[in-house]
Structure formats: structure tokens, C-alpha cells
Amino acid sequence: MKPKFLKSALLIIICILTSVPAFAGGHEKVLGIQTGYISRNRSAEAGLFFQYSFSRVVRASLDVSMAIRSHDRDALLVDLNAQFPLLQAGRWEFYPLVGINYSTWALHETVFNDDSGVNGIDVSDRHGRFGINAGIGTGLRVTPSLKLKAEALYTGVKSNNAARVMVGIGYSF
């Protein structure tokens, strides 16, 4: 059951991403970098984002980021979110967001074994799971090609729930 679900989810994501150029006539695309804080391991998070506007009221966002190792945990997070810009005043916008998340968290432990003569072996255990995202965000268009964003979201993943706050800067084309 699990491999079938993973294959189906991956196929859906690939279909969405490969269909984007077919809709790209005149719609805004933004590529940028982001950084922030993730509560699961109380550390920094950094990554890349891509936004594609289907219309003035619907936008897709693909984010790929890493939670920096802290408290013996690190992660790779992939988010596919739908954003719905509600308030738009000049160059400023406010939007709710909802989407899916795939997180692969690693738990690192140090094993000491005096009998073998080797001390301090790093043993890690990595688990990947799907989850959901929900949150809010705001954006500011500094110039026609430069956009700033800030987002606060909750990621619900079995045994790895997290609150996340992200800020980013992107190039609009």
C-alpha cells in the first residue's frame, strides 16, 4: 500500500510540474531563496522556492529546503502548496496557503564501543513521510523583477510536526 501511494503522489507532482510550461503564457513565475526557523529541531531552515501564478487568485509554490542539524536531527523538506492571494494593495499582498509536504527526518546518535577500539560512531536513522501544510504569507514587490516574501506555516507529519517561519527573496520573470 505504501509504495503505491508514494508512486501515485510522485506521479501527480511530476504531472503538475511538467504541465507548468503549457500554462506559462504571461503568468508570473518567481524563483528564489529562503531561510527561516523550524520548531521540530529548534534550528534554521534554508532552501529554494518556485512560484507559478495561474491567475490573480491562485498560485502554486514548490519549496525545497533543509532543516539544519540541531538536537541530533536534520531534515529535507519538499512542499507543494496552493496560495490564494486575498488582499492586494499596490505592491503588497496577503495570502493563505495549504498543501502537501514530504519530509525525510534523520535522527543521529553517537554509539561508543570500547571493545572494538572505535569510539564515537555516528549512527543515523532516516524516515520519510507525507504530511500537510497550512499557513499564511505576505509578499512585497520591491521592483517589477524583485519580490520579498514571509510565511508562517504549520507542517503536520506523523511524529515530526513543526511550526515554520520563512523569509525569502525571489526573481520574478
Side-chain angles (χ1 to χ4, degrees):
M1 177 75 177
K2 201 176 209 181
K4 218 177 205 185
F5 176 73
L6 291 175
K7 287 179 185 177
S8 298
L10 185 60
L11 182 63
I12 290 169
I13 291 170
I14 289 171
C15 288
I16 290 170
L17 293 178
T18 57
S19 68
V20 167
F23 296 106
H27 296 285
E28 181 186 50
K29 297 166 282 296
V30 179
L31 180 64
I33 59 173
Q34 62 186 1
T35 188
Y37 174 80
I38 185 165
S39 66
R40 177 64 180 119
N41 63 340
R42 300 183 296 274
S43 76
E45 180 179 355
L48 302 172
F49 71 91
F50 175 76
Q51 294 176 341
Y52 178 79
S53 297
F54 292 99
S55 69
R56 289 180 49 99
V57 295
V58 178
R59 178 171 55 218
S61 177
L62 176 66
D63 303 350
V64 178
S65 58
M66 289 193 62
I68 309 301
R69 185 173 172 177
S70 176
H71 295 84
D72 295 326
R73 291 185 180 273
D74 62 50
L76 173 67
L77 300 108
V78 180
D79 302 305
L80 182 59
N81 295 319
Q83 300 174 347
F84 306 98
L86 297 177
L87 300 174
Q88 297 178 350
R91 300 181 306 179
W92 175 80
E93 66 181 5
F94 170 80
Y95 53 90
L97 61 94
V98 64
I100 60 172
N101 167 277
Y102 178 76
S103 300
T104 174
W105 282 89
L107 174 62
H108 301 273
E109 297 181 88
T110 303
V111 177
F112 295 99
N113 187 349
D114 291 333
D115 297 338
S116 67
V118 179
N119 289 325
I121 300 172
D122 183 19
V123 179
S124 64
D125 185 22
R126 185 169 291 276
H127 294 286
R129 292 196 168 93
F130 282 94
I132 58 170
N133 292 326
I136 58 172
T138 186
L140 176 67
R141 182 165 308 285
V142 179
T143 68
S145 61
L146 184 66
K147 187 175 179 181
L148 300 176
K149 77 167 191 165
E151 294 178 348
L153 62 141
Y154 177 79
T155 301
V157 178
K158 181 181 177 183
S159 73
N160 286 311
N161 299 329
R164 300 161 61 194
V165 178
M166 304 291 286
V167 294
I169 184 169
Y171 173 72
S172 177
F173 54 98

